[in-house]
Each structure stands twice: as C-alpha cells, then as structure tokens.
Amino acid sequence: MARPAEIVIVGAGPRATGVLERILANVSEMLPTRELQVHVVDPYPPGAGRVWRAGQSPLMWVNVPAREVTMFTDESVRCDGPLRPGPSLDEWAGTSRERGADRNGIFASRLVQGDYLTWVFSRIVAQRPANVRVSVHATRATGLTDGPDGKQQVRLADREQCLPADIVILALGHLDDEKGQQESELESFASRHGLAYVPRSYSADVDLSVLRPRENVIMRGFGLAFVDLAVMLTEGRGGAYSVGGDGRLRYLASGEEPRLYVGSRRGVPYRTKISHQPFSVPAALPRFFNGSVLRHGPSQDMDFRTELWPLMAKEIGWAHYHELFTTHRDRVAVDWADFSTSYADFNWNSSELEDHVKACVPDPVDRLNLGQLDRPLHGVWHERFGDLQAHVRSHISADVARRGEGAHSADLGTVWGLKSVSRQLATILDAGRLSARSEANDVAGWWKGFFDYVCSGPPSPRARQLVALSEAGILNFLGSGMWMVPDESCGVFRAGSANTAHTVDAKSFVEARLPTPDLRRCPDTLLRGLLERGEAVECVITDQDGFAHRSGLLQVSPRDFRVIDASGRPHPQRYALGPFTSVRHFATFTRPQTNGLFFRQNDALARNVLCALAYG
C-alpha cells in the first residue's frame, strides 16, 4: 500500500483556505485510495488568518457589500474540479440575528468576515473525504529546504523537528515590510524631536495611541487604509454621528480626536462604491482590447501608453456609452446602433471621436473624461485654505450622489470596462510582452493606482462621514500633489500641496498606506532563505537596452504556480499563489455567479498538486 502523501500549506487565510477547499474537492477523483495528510501552518486562526483575525474593532468594515463575497464555487465557475456550492457572506450572516446586526445593512464588519472565514474552514475540513486528514499548526514556518529523502522539510518556530512534505504550497498573503532608508530617516528625525511617526502598516496592526488628542496629525494617503485609520481616530475614540432634520450627517466630537490633515497625489478619496444595480445587460467585453493585441503586437517591449492605453481607454468608453445609450435613451441624440458603428471606426483621442461623442451625447456630464476622472483637482487653486476644504467637500458629496443614483449608471459601465481591461492586461503581463519601463512607470506607477481609485473606493456611508468630519473641523484636506518635509530647525513635520499656499506643521506623521510587497525587504525567514540560496528569485524584467524593473514579487510559473529558482527552473514540489507572487491578476474574494478567478486559480493549483502526487 502506498505511503500517505503529505502537503504543507504555509498560511491559513482566505487564499490558503480556498486552495485547501479545492484540494479536498478534487482528491476523491485524483487521489481516491491513497491517504493524504494536509498540514496548515499559520500563527493566526485558520480561515481568518492575520488580516481577518478576531480582536479587531467592529467599526472596521469589509470594503465590498456582503452579498458580493463568497468562498464557494457555484454553477458559473468554469473549472475542471467538482463544484461545491455554499452560502455567500450575506447569506451566512443573515442566518444569525447577532451577525446580521453587525452588517450595517450592506457592509459586514471585519469581525463578521473573519467569523465567516473561520466557519468556512471548519466546514470544508468537516466534509473532507475519509482518506484525508487535516492538521493545523498554530505557529510560524521559518524555513524550507530539500530533504535528503526527496521530501521537503518545513521548519517551524515552536519545535525542533521539521514537517516533512511531498508538496509545499506558499499562501502567505500580504507580506510585512522592513524599514527602508526613508522610513529609517523619518523614524530617527521623530526620535530626535520627540515626535510621532507611524510607517506603512496594516490598519489592524497600527498603534494609534501615539497620536494625541487635539494635536495636528499629517496623513499621507487617501485610500482605504486612511479611511480605516480615520474611523479609529474618531468613532474609535468616542465620537458619534447624528442625522439632522435637514438630512445632513453631523459628527459629534468626543474631544479625544486629533486634528487630521490628509493629502495624496490626487488629493481626494477613492471614488465611492456604486450602490445601485445595473439597469440593462452589460456590454459584451472585451471588444477592442482583446487577444488581437497579442497576436498583432510586437514580440516584446510593448509600450503601454502608445500601444495599449488607446485600446484600453476605447474599451472603457465602449462599456460606459453602452450603458448610457441602452438605459438612458432620453439623454442621447441617436440610438446605440448608430453611435457604436462610428465609435468603433474612430481612434481614441481623435478629433473625429470627440466630435462624434459631442454630437450624440449633449450633456457633458454624461461624457467619459478619463483625464478629469483621474485628476479632479488638476489646476485647482485656492488662496484660502477654507475654500479648498469646501471644494473637496463638494467633490466628495457630488461623487456620493452620482454613484448612488441610477441616472448615472454609465459610471457602472466604466467600472465594468476597467475590470475587463485589467483582466486582459494581466494576460499581456504574464506573457512578458510589456516593456520593463512601461511596467515600472505605467502599470505599477499609474495604472494600478487609477484602477483602485475608480473601482475600490469606500462605501458611501464612509464618504459621507468624511464630509461630516471635515465640517466638524476634525478632518482637513491638504490637496493634490501633497508634499511633506521634516523641518529640522523647527522640529516638526511640514506638509502642503499644489492646490494652496497654506502649509501645516504637526508633531505626528502617518503613512496611511499599505506596505508594498517587496521580497528584498521582507522579514519572512522562509522566503529570505529561499532567496539567499537561489532557490527562489524576485520577478525582474529587462528591456533590450538594459533597463530593469524589479517587481518585488516572488517569481512563479504563470501556468502551474511553481516557484522558480535562480536558474529559471520550476521546483517540482513547491508552489506559491497570492499577492506576493508574480501572478499578475489575482483576487482574494469573488462575487457569486461571476466565474471568479479566485476559484479557477485555486482549482488549477490543487489539481496540479494532486496530479504530481498521483504520478510523482
């Protein structure tokens, strides 16, 4: 009888749980008689992992509606393994009055999300086939080596004896980041002058006690990390909201809040989540930015701005105008068939297309202006700081109103277009066709930020709260093109922007941004050991002229997710998947009925692993 096969999964968060679910779903077909032992290694609770662990404030929300989060495959998922349906977060939370009360009607708290993930892990383990055992090790994996007997050896922090494995799957999620030179210099400056400096970190891990009540705090970053921190520094310190007779939201300060000054490149928060449902069938995508880009483009060193972006922008516009013309016929001058024929013929940014859109879409508010969408404060100048505050408040309020009204459902088309081109771009990146300069400057440097800004913003209640905090004088907007300098002579952090001459001095500075994955600065000893021995490498792409882009990501094979070593060889027993890897398009969660990439990736990895065990 064959000896039991052994798999070690390093990590126990959503990705690891999803991979485990697919292994257990496929094992009866691919490894029907052999015993299988799966070890899951993580110091944090299985299912929830670090990010969604218990003990976080109930004020912190999941950033997507509960109905759009599921850990179970449904009939829409096109994968080779069997489907195993189960409840979405919303359906699961709705079965309990206590859990339902913590959903805010639409958005669940992170505590509820963590409970859901813990329940998912327990359910899939309980339903495992009879020939499978699953063991959880609540410790950290500190090393990974090849054993003399052909097994992998996983060293654990809490014991001398290693875990042997036929296959190791690294599902580490988001990596920590050691301080770089800039962070070290700011930390040293703060220490010399008795100031508070908070570097990039995950919101639940930040020590906010160093930020004192009623003192100025400069915060760099206006995305979701900022929103989380702002909530903890206001409601988390005893503040509350009330709705006045005029329907306006007002903030009631506790007196324990610091005065927050926030700025960023754009100077405004991410666009509010669209809260209405589509009114028509979305446009069939992709239409212009599809596989033909690869077939007809050069073999390598494609340029993002000249070769890709015109087609990407045209695709986004196609999705935007399709929703406008098919849903709001009273606001357009021709029908979709007439508009789309000419639209397809014209190049993006051509005068012909501009004239065509103007003639067919009378109201400028209905036209897609990607430049204005990207930089809403470009060219804005206010001598008085208070006028800038009013301007940004008006911008946020208008965005909340627009994204909550079905009259502007074309914005939903824009989001669909962005998601479509993002998927197609991932294919080009995985094929190695984009130049290193374009990947560094345009994709990592601009595109990712623009995509997140439009598609991954806060729920509308959070955006309304930002306006109320501003009106209460707790939150102040620095503007776009934000800069911050440590003033050695005055012993303060000083900040300003491109939108006003007003500057702010503060005794505290917070990097309100998440760490960027970077293997070179990752303190994880397992990954560092692999890198130092040449058994793993950072994904680096190089142009023909020698320009190199260091991604900071672990190089894995895009087809089977195997870890690549310094010689370019994929390791037959080591796999990795998640945001720390070179797989360019990934998702932590997925919406029901959308053929989620999360499930397809997990299923492909699981079947590769089981195939290797069956025939290895």
Side-chain angles (χ1 to χ4, degrees), residues 432-455:
R433 301 287 291 275
L434 198 63
S435 73
R437 279 189 177 84
S438 280
E439 186 161 340
N441 300 329
D442 298 318
V443 177
W446 174 76
W447 165 254
K448 184 181 183 303
F450 177 64
F451 178 87
D452 289 344
Y453 163 67
V454 179
C455 299

Side-chain angles (χ1 to χ4, degrees), residues 353-375:
L353 182 57
E354 183 179 0
D355 292 342
H356 179 59
V357 170
K358 285 181 179 179
C360 299
V361 184
D363 192 341
V365 77
D366 291 325
R367 301 173 195 156
L368 179 62
N369 187 326
L370 291 171
Q372 189 177 58
L373 178 64
D374 184 30
R375 295 286 189 233

Side-chain angles (χ1 to χ4, degrees), residues 252-322:
L252 308 176
S254 68
E256 294 299 310
E257 305 91 343
R259 289 188 297 272
L260 308 179
Y261 291 83
V262 61
S264 65
R265 287 180 298 174
R266 292 184 180 86
V268 296
Y270 283 9
R271 294 283 172 162
T272 311
K273 278 280 188 298
I274 295 176
S275 57
H276 58 79
Q277 295 298 303
F279 296 97
S280 63
V281 178
L285 301 174
R287 172 65 172 79
F288 303 102
F289 189 62
N290 51 33
S292 65
V293 179
L294 284 176
R295 290 193 297 271
H296 302 301
S299 59
Q300 59 183 2
D301 290 353
M302 297 178 74
D303 181 75
F304 179 91
R305 288 289 177 183
T306 61
E307 296 177 71
L308 302 188
W309 178 242
L311 295 174
M312 293 169 68
K314 190 173 182 180
E315 184 93 314
I316 298 165
W318 179 264
H320 173 97
Y321 289 119
H322 179 273

Side-chain angles (χ1 to χ4, degrees), residues 44-207:
Y44 295 99
R50 173 182 174 181
V51 172
W52 306 102
R53 69 187 185 271
Q56 301 184 53
S57 169
L59 294 171
M60 299 177 72
W61 296 352
V62 182
N63 190 49
V64 295
R67 66 176 179 271
E68 296 185 5
V69 175
T70 186
M71 288 289 290
F72 296 99
T73 52
D74 54 43
E75 65 273 16
S76 72
V77 179
R78 296 192 295 272
C79 65
D80 293 329
L83 303 179
R84 298 290 176 88
S88 67
L89 171 59
D90 189 53
E91 293 167 339
W92 174 84
T95 63
S96 165
R97 179 176 300 176
E98 179 181 353
R99 293 171 186 146
D102 198 18
R103 282 187 293 152
N104 190 42
I106 300 175
F107 296 89
S109 73
R110 292 194 182 186
L111 286 177
V112 169
Q113 172 87 318
D115 288 345
Y116 172 66
L117 294 170
T118 300
W119 174 82
V120 169
F121 187 92
S122 298
R123 168 170 156 155
I124 64 175
V125 170
Q127 295 178 344
R128 69 191 183 278
N131 62 322
V132 181
R133 290 181 298 160
V134 178
S135 301
V136 175
H137 305 268
T139 187
R140 192 175 301 278
T142 59
L144 173 60
T145 57
D146 291 311
D149 57 353
K151 288 263 196 172
Q152 295 297 288
Q153 298 292 321
V154 181
R155 189 168 64 251
L156 304 182
D158 66 347
R159 67 195 71 175
E160 292 185 6
Q161 188 173 5
C162 291
L163 275 180
D166 298 291
I167 298 290
V168 175
I169 302 170
L170 304 179
L172 297 170
H174 296 280
L175 302 180
D176 283 323
D177 188 22
E178 288 186 342
K179 291 189 288 288
Q181 180 178 350
Q182 184 182 47
E183 290 85 354
S184 297
E185 291 174 351
L186 287 173
E187 187 175 70
S188 177
F189 170 78
S191 178
R192 288 196 304 273
H193 297 282
L195 308 178
Y197 167 59
V198 179
R200 294 186 186 212
S201 187
Y202 299 100
S203 302
D205 299 328
V206 177
D207 179 11

